[in-house]
Amino acid sequence: MVTRVATLAEIAQEAGVSAPTVSKVLNGRADVAPATRERVEMLLRQHGYRRRGGDSRISPLLDLVFHELDSSWATEVIRGVENVAREEGLSIVLSESAGRPTPGQSWVDGVLARRPTGVLLVLSGLERAQQEQLSGRGIPFVVLDPAGDPGQQVPAVGTTNWDGGLAATRHLLDLGHRRIGLIGGPARMMCSRARADGYRAALDMAGIAYDPALVREGDFHHEAGRRIGLELLGGPDRPTAVFAGNDLQALGVYEAARELGLRVPEDLSVVGFDDLPLARWVGPPLTTVRQPLTEMAEVAARLVIDLGRGARPAALRVDLATTLVERSSTAPPR
């Protein structure tokens, strides 16, 4: 038995508003009272309303939403999305959720009004109601490098963070290090936990006891690497190597080592994560785990465009491989 989907007029009648008002909500128009908008959205979700057929008003845009826009990490992602957008004749709308785990309702209203080809969310997610709003309007979305578990039905592109943490730590163990510090990222972020789990797995495989005194939670920013680096390296039984959860924190460790009179790699080996362009330019060049950010962004952009065209992808979750890049910041311990 096929369940009949309510029409726009029927939803309007049930909500006690006019059909044009429901249309305004569907199109993200701002001139609707918040209480009315919430009531109409609830009914749209309850009835599983979907636009019928194609929509010629879809704009040649990709909405790209960042959790934070303050580093060269974001630049690599933008480059990848731009590569695909250029090939497809699309423009990019760039926005930031100001550190919030999900963008606000005003952003959702803007997307509904723009009717883009697709939405890419970087280190962000959507609340269930927001997902339903976009899906109900036929706007596909993909999460790039998800901070948490986006859910099995949400398309997402990431990288092999656990493998990267394992490779970074194993590299230091192979050089002979046994006291290896870890400056991770925020514990709420899935990639941070995976990299830390890879670190711990490498120690277990080598028969090295996990020492929580050598492990700190950072925030993926340079200052956290410096501050925590001073804590780890300032004691009498300091680590001989540090695995930083990203390149920016690794450079903060460089700064902490200089302040304490320690040389990299003679007195301290350092490994980062990301392989940003600056990792090759610093002195000494940074050994790091390459996260293929530009390629990840390209895959995510092509995936959301394909979804917008009605294609059925082979997989909703794609993880690209990480690789260890050895440079001059690591050496055997003295």
Side-chain angles (χ1 to χ4, degrees):
M1 178 179 178
V2 178
T3 303
R4 188 180 70 85
V5 178
T7 65
L8 185 148
E10 289 169 337
I11 290 173
Q13 183 178 10
E14 189 173 345
V17 300
S18 66
T21 298
V22 177
S23 181
K24 287 180 180 180
V25 174
L26 280 168
N27 292 308
R29 290 273 297 276
D31 52 341
V32 179
T36 301
R37 180 187 301 278
E38 184 176 351
R39 185 166 69 254
V40 172
E41 287 287 1
M42 180 185 68
L43 289 170
L44 290 169
R45 291 195 298 272
Q46 286 179 355
H47 289 288
Y49 182 85
R50 296 289 186 274
R51 288 185 182 272
R52 291 176 172 79
D55 193 330
S56 60
R57 291 176 299 143
I58 290 177
S59 302
L61 303 171
L62 288 179
D63 258 77
L64 178 57
V65 190
F66 281 89
H67 175 258
E68 290 179 333
L69 253 177
D70 62 352
S71 73
S72 55
W73 188 96
T75 303
E76 297 302 300
V77 172
I78 294 171
R79 179 177 291 114
V81 176
E82 174 62 26
N83 289 343
V84 176
R86 189 185 314 113
E87 293 175 5
E88 297 289 340
L90 302 174
S91 299
I92 298 174
V93 177
L94 190 62
S95 56
E96 182 189 49
S97 62
R100 294 175 298 184
T102 58
Q105 185 58 40
S106 61
W107 171 83
V108 175
D109 292 341
V111 171
L112 298 182
R114 285 190 292 275
R115 302 276 301 140
T117 299
V119 173
L120 295 168
L121 300 114
V122 184
L123 282 177
S124 298
L126 291 174
E127 297 173 355
R128 183 56 183 266
Q130 294 173 330
Q131 293 179 19
E132 291 173 347
Q133 282 182 277
L134 296 188
S135 297
R137 275 62 157 198
I139 301 173
F141 55 89
V142 171
V143 180
L144 175 61
D145 203 8
D149 182 6
Q152 292 184 346
Q153 299 306 311
V154 176
V157 176
T159 192
T160 53
N161 288 291
W162 186 89
D163 291 347
L166 180 80
T169 311
R170 182 174 285 167
H171 169 66
L172 293 169
L173 290 166
D174 289 345
L175 288 172
H177 295 278
R178 294 299 178 264
R179 288 187 58 76
I180 302 171
L182 170 67
I183 304 177
R188 62 179 173 78
M189 296 179 69
M190 191 162 59
C191 62
S192 304
R193 297 195 300 272
R195 293 170 196 177
D197 287 346
Y199 160 87
R200 188 161 187 169
L203 295 179
D204 289 343
M205 292 177 190
I208 307 297
Y210 174 81
D211 185 354
L214 295 175
V215 178
R216 299 285 193 282
E217 178 181 338
D219 61 8
F220 285 154
H221 290 92
H222 173 275
E223 181 54 35
R226 175 186 171 276
R227 172 177 51 80
I228 298 172
L230 289 172
E231 294 175 9
L232 288 174
L233 302 175
D237 195 16
R238 65 172 179 82
T240 61
V242 172
F243 168 37
N246 72 338
D247 289 348
L248 294 180
Q249 288 185 154
L251 298 187
V253 174
Y254 270 38
E255 187 174 346
R258 283 195 297 269
E259 291 182 31
L260 295 171
L262 300 174
R263 297 170 299 164
V264 177
E266 292 84 354
D267 303 311
L268 176 73
S269 287
V270 181
V271 179
F273 202 109
D274 283 336
D275 195 26
L276 299 176
L278 55 82
R280 302 189 295 272
W281 304 334
V282 296
L286 178 65
T287 294
T288 187
V289 176
R290 182 175 185 271
Q291 180 177 205
L293 293 170
T294 301
E295 292 90 335
M296 289 163 59
E298 290 173 346
V299 169
R302 290 194 178 98
L303 176 58
V304 79
I305 291 170
D306 288 345
L307 289 169
R309 291 169 175 165
R312 296 177 65 87
L316 289 178
R317 175 74 200 214
V318 179
D319 284 324
L320 275 63
T322 53
T323 52
L324 181 71
V325 181
E326 296 184 38
R327 297 194 178 101
S328 306
S329 66
T330 51
R334 295 179 64 179

